[in-house]
Amino acid sequence: MMMQQKTLWQKSQPWLITAVVAAIFIWGFAGVPLTGIKSTAGQVFGSIIDGLVHPDWSYLYSGDGEDLVSALLQTLAIAFLGTFMSAVLAVPFGFWAAKTNRKFFSPKSASGKFVLTVVRVFPELVLAIMFIKAVGPGAFAGVLALGFHSVGMMGKLFSEAVENIDRGPNEAIAAAGGSTLDGLTMATFPAVLPEFMNYTLYRFEIAVRSASILGIVGAGGVGAPLIFALSTRAWPRVGMILIGIVVTVTAIDFLSGQIRKRLV
């Protein structure tokens, strides 16, 4: 069988796409104001590296609640509560946004996806500032910010899980005279529950990283002592905090990955 020769457009398409992407990059960097490197950049960079190499081990644990271990535990608590709250709230939103029929356009699904998109528009930091104005600074504002933002993310993932399940068991239950509630509890939920738990664990990994940053604006967690150490240029403490964050996030990623392997 003779191979069909490529047309001129097929041959030039990869080069055209590359040229367009390169032009976008050049246009984007052209608008960045390059003010040069400060004369103290080398000294500051050296101080940061020295702080990482010689961290402040006395800050690791002191027992007064103002140490690194306490800040990391608060960060994990914020991430866990925010993820758990969003996982519960995202379930009805996921079913609302899921397109379960074969119609080209579903008003129910479209409205649900629109609501979830609006919720996802607001970043965690913006939500944290808004909730700080409402409930005051602290961990509670961080939980609300993470939980509200994660509803939009997890609701989208949950809706895709509902859309991708096999409809055969639901149709069999309906053919046997079962109600919609029977199909939901005996067919749909058992099929989507492993995916829901998988997405929840994955979102918890991301929430731990986000919770580490929310303290910068006063929403609790390890971000508050980090920004204080940076503002006072206490580089050994900055190094200790960064090491703690890296170890915590790595451990959470590993444990979550092992659990998710058993769920899938």
Side-chain angles (χ1 to χ4, degrees), residues 226-244:
L226 177 60
I227 194 64
F228 291 151
L230 286 170
S231 61
T232 58
R233 298 190 178 184
W235 303 119
R237 178 161 293 189
V238 171
M240 187 72 251
I241 294 173
L242 292 178
I243 291 173

Side-chain angles (χ1 to χ4, degrees), residues 160-182:
E160 293 177 353
V162 174
E163 291 175 350
N164 293 331
I165 64 172
D166 183 13
R167 297 291 166 188
N170 293 77
E171 295 174 356
I173 292 175
S179 63
T180 303
L181 182 60
D182 293 332

Side-chain angles (χ1 to χ4, degrees), residues 118-119 121-138 140-142 144-146 148-149 214 217-219:
V118 171
V119 173
V121 165
F122 299 94
E124 290 102 331
L125 283 176
V126 175
L127 290 172
I129 295 173
M130 294 170 60
F131 282 117
I132 285 173
K133 299 297 182 181
V135 302
F140 185 43
L144 293 177
L146 276 178
F148 187 84
H149 178 78
L214 293 181
V217 296

Side-chain angles (χ1 to χ4, degrees), residues 155-200:
K156 179 179 183 297
L157 296 174
F158 285 4
S159 67
E160 293 177 353
V162 174
E163 291 175 350
N164 293 331
I165 64 172
D166 183 13
R167 297 291 166 188
N170 293 77
E171 295 174 356
I173 292 175
S179 63
T180 303
L181 182 60
D182 293 332
L184 185 65
T185 56
M186 292 188 292
T188 303
F189 265 124
V192 299
L193 189 58
E195 288 291 330
F196 282 7
M197 296 179 66
N198 186 24
Y199 289 139
T200 301

